[in-house]
Amino acid sequence: MDTSQLLDGLRVLVVDDDTDNLDLIKVIFEEYNVQVTAVTSAGEALEAITQLKPNILISDVAMPDEDGYSLIQKVRNLAAAVSQIPAIALTAHASEEAGALALDAGFSIRLVKPFDPDDLITVVSKLVLIAQYDLCPVCTNKQLSFIEWESLNKIRFHCRTCKWNESYGLDKAKVAGFINRYHFKNKMDGLNKPILGEPLKNNA
């Protein structure tokens, strides 16, 4: 499945107090038919998540009044339907410590600013794919269990609850025990397109 198919119709929520950054991200996603909702505060973002139920959250970390760390912690404590949203932390800090802080707070991955537009598209595309396998095969924790990929087709999964972690090729993730929680509909060019946000009624 190519990038255009993965991102077509995706709902993305972006929060950043810098309106220029919001405009840039909107432009980046334009050609992929992504529905972008842009807000300028953590409070607005929290309200938008519960109302719109977006597929991906992109949040600046350094915001006045309430930062991105506080926002993601509140998101992870919401009802299960929205608490598991894949989330990208935007930060100007490139250190390993800053990356670990973002992951510990509840973000799925950290992207350093200024970022290349292609990098943002790659990150979002991978999160869409990996979100199909978001239950830990050890403790069956329903929070996101992936945090990063090591290469184009190899992903490192990590459970924040039981601390289990392992690397698997994307095509082996389901075989390794990850549970696919999403319907597969709308066949396109012989491939099934994942519809995020629609949990399977059973995993038989």
Side-chain angles (χ1 to χ4, degrees):
M1 182 179 295
D2 63 27
T3 300
S4 295
Q5 289 178 326
L6 276 173
L7 301 186
D8 184 30
L10 197 73
R11 301 186 307 277
V12 174
L13 173 63
V14 187
V15 53
D16 196 321
D17 60 302
D18 188 328
T19 56
D20 288 338
N21 286 339
L22 294 177
D23 290 340
L24 172 61
I25 292 174
K26 285 181 179 179
V27 170
I28 292 172
F29 282 121
E30 271 182 355
E31 66 176 288
Y32 296 97
N33 193 33
V34 173
Q35 302 172 33
V36 178
T37 300
V39 296
T40 57
S41 71
E44 290 177 297
L46 201 62
E47 183 177 347
I49 286 174
T50 56
Q51 291 183 354
L52 304 177
K53 296 179 176 57
N55 303 124
I56 300 284
L57 169 65
I58 302 174
S59 175
D60 186 31
V61 168
M63 296 185 290
D65 300 327
E66 186 174 5
D67 62 22
Y69 299 128
S70 175
L71 169 61
I72 194 60
Q73 289 168 358
K74 288 182 178 179
V75 169
R76 296 305 182 215
N77 288 320
L78 292 173
V82 292
S83 67
Q84 300 175 50
I85 182 174
I88 302 168
L90 298 181
T91 173
H93 301 290
S95 67
E96 291 185 9
E97 292 79 5
L101 184 60
L103 297 178
D104 288 343
F107 283 102
S108 307
I109 195 164
R110 179 268 311 261
L111 190 61
V112 178
K113 299 188 295 185
F115 54 83
D116 185 285
D118 289 340
D119 288 341
L120 178 61
I121 293 299
T122 298
V123 167
V124 171
S125 298
K126 291 297 183 182
L127 288 182
V128 171
L129 278 173
I130 301 169
Q132 299 170 30
Y133 309 100
D134 66 350
L135 298 189
C136 176
V138 175
C139 70
T140 64
N141 173 39
K142 293 185 179 181
Q143 294 182 357
L144 297 177
S145 55
F146 61 86
I147 55 173
E148 63 182 33
W149 57 90
E150 297 177 352
S151 65
L152 183 61
N153 294 308
K154 192 172 183 180
I155 300 130
R156 182 162 71 91
F157 292 83
H158 172 78
C159 177
R160 290 192 294 270
T161 298
C162 71
K163 307 304 180 185
W164 172 89
N165 69 88
E166 189 62 74
S167 294
Y168 290 105
L170 181 60
D171 60 335
K172 303 296 183 183
K174 188 175 182 181
V175 175
F178 282 85
I179 301 172
N180 185 341
R181 300 179 57 252
Y182 301 96
H183 287 298
F184 286 79
K185 299 178 179 178
N186 301 339
K187 289 187 177 181
M188 300 176 68
D189 301 325
L191 293 172
N192 290 333
K193 181 180 178 181
I195 306 300
L196 301 185
E198 298 182 4
L200 288 172
K201 294 182 179 179
N202 63 69
N203 293 304

mmCIF file of all heavy atoms in Angstrom, residues 5-37:
data_model
loop_
_atom_site.group_PDB
_atom_site.id
_atom_site.type_symbol
_atom_site.label_atom_id
_atom_site.label_comp_id
_atom_site.label_asym_id
_atom_site.label_seq_id
_atom_site.Cartn_x
_atom_site.Cartn_y
_atom_site.Cartn_z
ATOM 1 N N GLN A 5 -2.503 6.033 -0.387
ATOM 2 C CA GLN A 5 -3.601 5.188 0.071
ATOM 3 C C GLN A 5 -3.682 5.168 1.591
ATOM 4 O O GLN A 5 -4.770 5.204 2.175
ATOM 5 C CB GLN A 5 -3.435 3.770 -0.454
ATOM 6 C CG GLN A 5 -3.674 3.638 -1.947
ATOM 7 C CD GLN A 5 -3.458 2.221 -2.422
ATOM 8 O OE1 GLN A 5 -2.599 1.498 -1.914
ATOM 9 N NE2 GLN A 5 -4.227 1.811 -3.410
ATOM 10 N N LEU A 6 -2.520 5.117 2.247
ATOM 11 C CA LEU A 6 -2.490 5.086 3.708
ATOM 12 C C LEU A 6 -3.083 6.347 4.319
ATOM 13 O O LEU A 6 -3.810 6.289 5.314
ATOM 14 C CB LEU A 6 -1.049 4.938 4.202
ATOM 15 C CG LEU A 6 -0.462 3.535 4.263
ATOM 16 C CD1 LEU A 6 1.012 3.608 4.614
ATOM 17 C CD2 LEU A 6 -1.201 2.681 5.271
ATOM 18 N N LEU A 7 -2.758 7.491 3.727
ATOM 19 C CA LEU A 7 -3.123 8.768 4.332
ATOM 20 C C LEU A 7 -4.450 9.335 3.844
ATOM 21 O O LEU A 7 -4.983 10.258 4.466
ATOM 22 C CB LEU A 7 -2.013 9.794 4.083
ATOM 23 C CG LEU A 7 -0.627 9.447 4.618
ATOM 24 C CD1 LEU A 7 0.313 10.627 4.428
ATOM 25 C CD2 LEU A 7 -0.677 9.031 6.069
ATOM 26 N N ASP A 8 -4.977 8.805 2.776
ATOM 27 C CA ASP A 8 -6.210 9.336 2.206
ATOM 28 C C ASP A 8 -7.346 9.311 3.228
ATOM 29 O O ASP A 8 -7.731 8.261 3.742
ATOM 30 C CB ASP A 8 -6.605 8.515 0.979
ATOM 31 C CG ASP A 8 -7.834 9.078 0.285
ATOM 32 O OD1 ASP A 8 -8.049 10.306 0.350
ATOM 33 O OD2 ASP A 8 -8.585 8.289 -0.309
ATOM 34 N N GLY A 9 -7.880 10.488 3.540
ATOM 35 C CA GLY A 9 -8.997 10.600 4.471
ATOM 36 C C GLY A 9 -8.610 10.548 5.943
ATOM 37 O O GLY A 9 -9.484 10.602 6.811
ATOM 38 N N LEU A 10 -7.328 10.455 6.228
ATOM 39 C CA LEU A 10 -6.870 10.407 7.624
ATOM 40 C C LEU A 10 -7.240 11.702 8.340
ATOM 41 O O LEU A 10 -7.199 12.781 7.760
ATOM 42 C CB LEU A 10 -5.351 10.228 7.648
ATOM 43 C CG LEU A 10 -4.731 9.770 8.970
ATOM 44 C CD1 LEU A 10 -5.051 8.300 9.214
ATOM 45 C CD2 LEU A 10 -3.221 9.976 8.949
ATOM 46 N N ARG A 11 -7.618 11.583 9.616
ATOM 47 C CA ARG A 11 -7.948 12.758 10.421
ATOM 48 C C ARG A 11 -6.789 13.043 11.378
ATOM 49 O O ARG A 11 -6.476 12.220 12.252
ATOM 50 C CB ARG A 11 -9.244 12.533 11.199
ATOM 51 C CG ARG A 11 -10.442 12.232 10.337
ATOM 52 C CD ARG A 11 -11.731 12.168 11.147
ATOM 53 N NE ARG A 11 -11.640 11.251 12.270
ATOM 54 C CZ ARG A 11 -11.823 9.948 12.180
ATOM 55 N NH1 ARG A 11 -12.060 9.381 11.004
ATOM 56 N NH2 ARG A 11 -11.760 9.184 13.258
ATOM 57 N N VAL A 12 -6.166 14.189 11.207
ATOM 58 C CA VAL A 12 -5.002 14.574 12.009
ATOM 59 C C VAL A 12 -5.317 15.829 12.814
ATOM 60 O O VAL A 12 -5.826 16.814 12.267
ATOM 61 C CB VAL A 12 -3.767 14.824 11.114
ATOM 62 C CG1 VAL A 12 -2.603 15.359 11.936
ATOM 63 C CG2 VAL A 12 -3.354 13.545 10.405
ATOM 64 N N LEU A 13 -5.001 15.779 14.095
ATOM 65 C CA LEU A 13 -5.143 16.950 14.958
ATOM 66 C C LEU A 13 -3.757 17.480 15.270
ATOM 67 O O LEU A 13 -2.892 16.735 15.738
ATOM 68 C CB LEU A 13 -5.857 16.579 16.260
ATOM 69 C CG LEU A 13 -5.928 17.682 17.331
ATOM 70 C CD1 LEU A 13 -6.739 18.875 16.830
ATOM 71 C CD2 LEU A 13 -6.522 17.133 18.627
ATOM 72 N N VAL A 14 -3.535 18.770 15.005
ATOM 73 C CA VAL A 14 -2.243 19.400 15.259
ATOM 74 C C VAL A 14 -2.417 20.525 16.266
ATOM 75 O O VAL A 14 -3.309 21.359 16.111
ATOM 76 C CB VAL A 14 -1.623 19.976 13.962
ATOM 77 C CG1 VAL A 14 -0.211 20.466 14.223
ATOM 78 C CG2 VAL A 14 -1.623 18.940 12.850
ATOM 79 N N VAL A 15 -1.571 20.550 17.291
ATOM 80 C CA VAL A 15 -1.631 21.620 18.283
ATOM 81 C C VAL A 15 -0.258 22.274 18.407
ATOM 82 O O VAL A 15 0.751 21.605 18.624
ATOM 83 C CB VAL A 15 -2.120 21.105 19.655
ATOM 84 C CG1 VAL A 15 -1.304 19.923 20.138
ATOM 85 C CG2 VAL A 15 -2.097 22.216 20.689
ATOM 86 N N ASP A 16 -0.226 23.575 18.229
ATOM 87 C CA ASP A 16 1.017 24.342 18.301
ATOM 88 C C ASP A 16 0.631 25.805 18.496
ATOM 89 O O ASP A 16 -0.287 26.299 17.821
ATOM 90 C CB ASP A 16 1.830 24.177 17.012
ATOM 91 C CG ASP A 16 3.286 24.611 17.166
ATOM 92 O OD1 ASP A 16 3.543 25.630 17.856
ATOM 93 O OD2 ASP A 16 4.157 23.952 16.596
ATOM 94 N N ASP A 17 1.310 26.489 19.405
ATOM 95 C CA ASP A 17 0.983 27.896 19.620
ATOM 96 C C ASP A 17 1.540 28.783 18.517
ATOM 97 O O ASP A 17 1.194 29.962 18.432
ATOM 98 C CB ASP A 17 1.505 28.371 20.989
ATOM 99 C CG ASP A 17 3.009 28.239 21.108
ATOM 100 O OD1 ASP A 17 3.525 27.104 20.958
ATOM 101 O OD2 ASP A 17 3.676 29.256 21.366
ATOM 102 N N ASP A 18 2.392 28.221 17.656
ATOM 103 C CA ASP A 18 2.963 28.950 16.525
ATOM 104 C C ASP A 18 2.100 28.686 15.285
ATOM 105 O O ASP A 18 2.114 27.584 14.732
ATOM 106 C CB ASP A 18 4.396 28.485 16.278
ATOM 107 C CG ASP A 18 5.114 29.336 15.235
ATOM 108 O OD1 ASP A 18 4.459 29.838 14.305
ATOM 109 O OD2 ASP A 18 6.356 29.492 15.346
ATOM 110 N N THR A 19 1.355 29.688 14.848
ATOM 111 C CA THR A 19 0.450 29.501 13.715
ATOM 112 C C THR A 19 1.188 29.229 12.402
ATOM 113 O O THR A 19 0.642 28.595 11.501
ATOM 114 C CB THR A 19 -0.464 30.730 13.538
ATOM 115 O OG1 THR A 19 0.343 31.903 13.397
ATOM 116 C CG2 THR A 19 -1.390 30.882 14.735
ATOM 117 N N ASP A 20 2.424 29.698 12.290
ATOM 118 C CA ASP A 20 3.207 29.420 11.083
ATOM 119 C C ASP A 20 3.478 27.916 10.966
ATOM 120 O O ASP A 20 3.434 27.345 9.865
ATOM 121 C CB ASP A 20 4.538 30.177 11.107
ATOM 122 C CG ASP A 20 4.362 31.672 10.882
ATOM 123 O OD1 ASP A 20 3.321 32.072 10.310
ATOM 124 O OD2 ASP A 20 5.257 32.446 11.272
ATOM 125 N N ASN A 21 3.775 27.276 12.098
ATOM 126 C CA ASN A 21 3.993 25.827 12.089
ATOM 127 C C ASN A 21 2.718 25.082 11.709
ATOM 128 O O ASN A 21 2.752 24.093 10.978
ATOM 129 C CB ASN A 21 4.481 25.353 13.460
ATOM 130 C CG ASN A 21 5.920 25.734 13.731
ATOM 131 O OD1 ASN A 21 6.679 25.991 12.802
ATOM 132 N ND2 ASN A 21 6.294 25.782 14.998
ATOM 133 N N LEU A 22 1.586 25.572 12.216
ATOM 134 C CA LEU A 22 0.311 24.949 11.874
ATOM 135 C C LEU A 22 0.042 25.048 10.377
ATOM 136 O O LEU A 22 -0.386 24.079 9.738
ATOM 137 C CB LEU A 22 -0.830 25.608 12.651
ATOM 138 C CG LEU A 22 -0.833 25.431 14.168
ATOM 139 C CD1 LEU A 22 -2.001 26.207 14.784
ATOM 140 C CD2 LEU A 22 -0.934 23.959 14.549
ATOM 141 N N ASP A 23 0.296 26.219 9.811
ATOM 142 C CA ASP A 23 0.082 26.425 8.376
ATOM 143 C C ASP A 23 0.998 25.517 7.556
ATOM 144 O O ASP A 23 0.587 24.960 6.531
ATOM 145 C CB ASP A 23 0.335 27.885 7.996
ATOM 146 C CG ASP A 23 -0.734 28.825 8.534
ATOM 147 O OD1 ASP A 23 -1.837 28.341 8.861
ATOM 148 O OD2 ASP A 23 -0.457 30.041 8.637
ATOM 149 N N LEU A 24 2.245 25.361 8.002
ATOM 150 C CA LEU A 24 3.202 24.512 7.292
ATOM 151 C C LEU A 24 2.716 23.064 7.267
ATOM 152 O O LEU A 24 2.748 22.408 6.221
ATOM 153 C CB LEU A 24 4.567 24.582 7.972
ATOM 154 C CG LEU A 24 5.627 23.594 7.459
ATOM 155 C CD1 LEU A 24 5.921 23.836 5.986
ATOM 156 C CD2 LEU A 24 6.902 23.690 8.295
ATOM 157 N N ILE A 25 2.264 22.569 8.397
ATOM 158 C CA ILE A 25 1.811 21.178 8.462
ATOM 159 C C ILE A 25 0.568 20.972 7.596
ATOM 160 O O ILE A 25 0.424 19.942 6.932
ATOM 161 C CB ILE A 25 1.542 20.780 9.929
ATOM 162 C CG1 ILE A 25 2.874 20.737 10.686
ATOM 163 C CG2 ILE A 25 0.845 19.427 10.006
ATOM 164 C CD1 ILE A 25 2.747 20.491 12.164
ATOM 165 N N LYS A 26 -0.315 21.955 7.569
ATOM 166 C CA LYS A 26 -1.490 21.864 6.698
ATOM 167 C C LYS A 26 -1.065 21.730 5.242
ATOM 168 O O LYS A 26 -1.611 20.904 4.500
ATOM 169 C CB LYS A 26 -2.366 23.110 6.862
ATOM 170 C CG LYS A 26 -3.184 23.149 8.142
ATOM 171 C CD LYS A 26 -4.029 24.416 8.170
ATOM 172 C CE LYS A 26 -4.881 24.512 9.409
ATOM 173 N NZ LYS A 26 -5.676 25.762 9.440
ATOM 174 N N VAL A 27 -0.092 22.532 4.839
ATOM 175 C CA VAL A 27 0.392 22.502 3.454
ATOM 176 C C VAL A 27 1.022 21.151 3.130
ATOM 177 O O VAL A 27 0.800 20.582 2.050
ATOM 178 C CB VAL A 27 1.415 23.639 3.212
ATOM 179 C CG1 VAL A 27 2.110 23.457 1.866
ATOM 180 C CG2 VAL A 27 0.728 24.991 3.273
ATOM 181 N N ILE A 28 1.783 20.607 4.069
ATOM 182 C CA ILE A 28 2.446 19.320 3.864
ATOM 183 C C ILE A 28 1.430 18.217 3.580
ATOM 184 O O ILE A 28 1.639 17.349 2.727
ATOM 185 C CB ILE A 28 3.309 18.949 5.087
ATOM 186 C CG1 ILE A 28 4.501 19.911 5.203
ATOM 187 C CG2 ILE A 28 3.804 17.503 5.007
ATOM 188 C CD1 ILE A 28 5.300 19.749 6.478
ATOM 189 N N PHE A 29 0.305 18.242 4.292
ATOM 190 C CA PHE A 29 -0.683 17.177 4.162
ATOM 191 C C PHE A 29 -1.678 17.386 3.036
ATOM 192 O O PHE A 29 -2.440 16.469 2.699
ATOM 193 C CB PHE A 29 -1.458 17.015 5.476
ATOM 194 C CG PHE A 29 -0.702 16.276 6.544
ATOM 195 C CD1 PHE A 29 -0.441 16.881 7.765
ATOM 196 C CD2 PHE A 29 -0.259 14.984 6.333
ATOM 197 C CE1 PHE A 29 0.242 16.198 8.758
ATOM 198 C CE2 PHE A 29 0.419 14.289 7.310
ATOM 199 C CZ PHE A 29 0.681 14.897 8.529
ATOM 200 N N GLU A 30 -1.686 18.570 2.443
ATOM 201 C CA GLU A 30 -2.691 18.902 1.437
ATOM 202 C C GLU A 30 -2.783 17.875 0.309
ATOM 203 O O GLU A 30 -3.867 17.436 -0.067
ATOM 204 C CB GLU A 30 -2.409 20.287 0.839
ATOM 205 C CG GLU A 30 -3.056 21.427 1.601
ATOM 206 C CD GLU A 30 -2.796 22.770 0.940
ATOM 207 O OE1 GLU A 30 -2.036 22.803 -0.060
ATOM 208 O OE2 GLU A 30 -3.338 23.779 1.413
ATOM 209 N N GLU A 31 -1.635 17.493 -0.243
ATOM 210 C CA GLU A 31 -1.642 16.618 -1.417
ATOM 211 C C GLU A 31 -2.059 15.185 -1.099
ATOM 212 O O GLU A 31 -2.293 14.378 -2.003
ATOM 213 C CB GLU A 31 -0.267 16.607 -2.085
ATOM 214 C CG GLU A 31 0.842 15.993 -1.251
ATOM 215 C CD GLU A 31 2.151 15.938 -2.009
ATOM 216 O OE1 GLU A 31 2.261 15.115 -2.930
ATOM 217 O OE2 GLU A 31 3.063 16.728 -1.671
ATOM 218 N N TYR A 32 -2.170 14.859 0.198
ATOM 219 C CA TYR A 32 -2.523 13.492 0.584
ATOM 220 C C TYR A 32 -3.981 13.364 1.029
ATOM 221 O O TYR A 32 -4.388 12.320 1.532
ATOM 222 C CB TYR A 32 -1.607 13.023 1.714
ATOM 223 C CG TYR A 32 -0.160 12.934 1.304
ATOM 224 C CD1 TYR A 32 0.722 13.981 1.582
ATOM 225 C CD2 TYR A 32 0.318 11.824 0.616
ATOM 226 C CE1 TYR A 32 2.045 13.911 1.199
ATOM 227 C CE2 TYR A 32 1.638 11.749 0.224
ATOM 228 C CZ TYR A 32 2.506 12.794 0.515
ATOM 229 O OH TYR A 32 3.819 12.722 0.126
ATOM 230 N N ASN A 33 -4.763 14.417 0.844
ATOM 231 C CA ASN A 33 -6.180 14.408 1.216
ATOM 232 C C ASN A 33 -6.371 14.090 2.700
ATOM 233 O O ASN A 33 -7.306 13.384 3.088
ATOM 234 C CB ASN A 33 -6.959 13.401 0.361
ATOM 235 C CG ASN A 33 -8.468 13.569 0.485
ATOM 236 O OD1 ASN A 33 -8.971 14.685 0.654
ATOM 237 N ND2 ASN A 33 -9.202 12.465 0.421
ATOM 238 N N VAL A 34 -5.473 14.609 3.532
ATOM 239 C CA VAL A 34 -5.568 14.430 4.975
ATOM 240 C C VAL A 34 -6.416 15.551 5.561
ATOM 241 O O VAL A 34 -6.242 16.714 5.208
ATOM 242 C CB VAL A 34 -4.164 14.440 5.624
ATOM 243 C CG1 VAL A 34 -4.262 14.436 7.144
ATOM 244 C CG2 VAL A 34 -3.361 13.236 5.149
ATOM 245 N N GLN A 35 -7.325 15.208 6.452
ATOM 246 C CA GLN A 35 -8.165 16.206 7.112
ATOM 247 C C GLN A 35 -7.431 16.721 8.348
ATOM 248 O O GLN A 35 -7.297 16.008 9.334
ATOM 249 C CB GLN A 35 -9.496 15.574 7.514
ATOM 250 C CG GLN A 35 -10.270 14.983 6.357
ATOM 251 C CD GLN A 35 -11.483 14.204 6.825
ATOM 252 O OE1 GLN A 35 -12.108 14.539 7.830
ATOM 253 N NE2 GLN A 35 -11.820 13.150 6.105
ATOM 254 N N VAL A 36 -6.931 17.946 8.282
ATOM 255 C CA VAL A 36 -6.143 18.519 9.366
ATOM 256 C C VAL A 36 -6.975 19.506 10.178
ATOM 257 O O VAL A 36 -7.551 20.443 9.638
ATOM 258 C CB VAL A 36 -4.887 19.239 8.829
ATOM 259 C CG1 VAL A 36 -4.099 19.866 9.983
ATOM 260 C CG2 VAL A 36 -4.006 18.267 8.059
ATOM 261 N N THR A 37 -7.039 19.264 11.490
ATOM 262 C CA THR A 37 -7.642 20.218 12.418
ATOM 263 C C THR A 37 -6.517 20.845 13.220
ATOM 264 O O THR A 37 -5.726 20.138 13.844
ATOM 265 C CB THR A 37 -8.626 19.516 13.385
ATOM 266 O OG1 THR A 37 -9.663 18.907 12.623
ATOM 267 C CG2 THR A 37 -9.224 20.519 14.363
#
